[in-house]
Amino acid sequence: MNPLDLDRQLCFALYSASRAMTASYKDLLAELGITYPQYLVMLVLWENDAEPEGVTVKRLGERLQLDSGTLSPLLSRLEKLGFITRHRSTEDSRSVFVRPTAEGAAAKERAECVPARIGARTQLDPDALPGLLETLRTLTGNLRGDHAPTP
Amino acid sequence: MNPLDLDRQLCFALYSASRAMTASYKDLLAELGITYPQYLVMLVLWENDAEPEGVTVKRLGERLQLDSGTLSPLLSRLEKLGFITRHRSTEDSRSVFVRPTAEGAAAKERAECVPARIGARTQLDPDALPGLLETLRTLTGNLRGDHAPTP
DNA sequence: CACAATTGAATTGTGTGCAACCATTGCCAT
DNA sequence: ATGGCAATGGTTGCACACAATTCAATTGTG
């Protein structure tokens, strides 16, 4: 069998599923006025709303596996939208803390129904979800692991 | 439980896995001199190398779920790289046929080892692969299915 | 046949991703 | 202290994605 058959490529199945997922979020997030990657940033901020200072850009990058080249302009847009503020750390002025504004914090309530609505659209068996999550996480870890030239 | 927990979001697991996969292809495709989306286009062209005319842009878009806004500039780059040629259909001059050049066709041989090398990096049980593919395809279909406002 | 509606690509504009580079800041061994 | 070095975030440049628009070519309808 042809090893290059598109429909047999895991990469394409992932690529398609990921784009379909992002597209499905679009109308729900439009109600909040943000994009999907911006939503991911807000998830991290909402998770850490106990931190009075907020979360550093470095920590956001680690959590989402995004570098400053992606995050910097994205955070600028979130700032302009009034969802977050940025301020340099007084401890170490290399670091920049990101914190939700009152409006950004309030958006959390409106976002709480989003996962369930997406979950319904997937029509997946809820019992199958944890296994799929675990498989994808393992896969991601394995792919990130071998940075070696070519096993 | 917090419904907004990042690590419990299928969307983020997919997003991470897809980006890790694309990143993993990078060094392998660098040997061919193309990017990952360009590789996907070449897969479709290689699949249809029996067609003497090639494949239309429309068909490429259907196969990859990409619109002309993405494909047009991507095809321009593949053309400049010498991998493909484009020519308008004589039957219906709205359509544009895309065909691999000799160089583009020859690259197929060099690409044949790529899926196996990626497969090794995933460290997935080969028996688990078909099930995962099926799950992802079903998921993609379900997400594309409901274009309705908000089930 | 005229002509409105549709189709297929290309173009434009916005927002990611990511590599490469840069400026500033902190750290540390001399 | 101080010169070298790592850490942090910003900037630049390129390549997607995708919505919206444009334009030419075709099709459907009376």
Side-chain angles (χ1 to χ4, degrees), chain A residues 45-57:
Chain A
L45 296 182
W46 291 330
E47 253 177 18
N48 295 82
D49 53 8
E51 309 290 336
E53 290 277 34
V55 176
T56 63
V57 173

Side-chain angles (χ1 to χ4, degrees), chain A residues 100-120:
Chain A
T101 59
E103 159 147 8
K108 181 179 182 181
E109 321 301 322
R110 293 192 290 150
E112 302 220 298
C113 64
V114 168
R117 289 163 83 182
I118 291 291

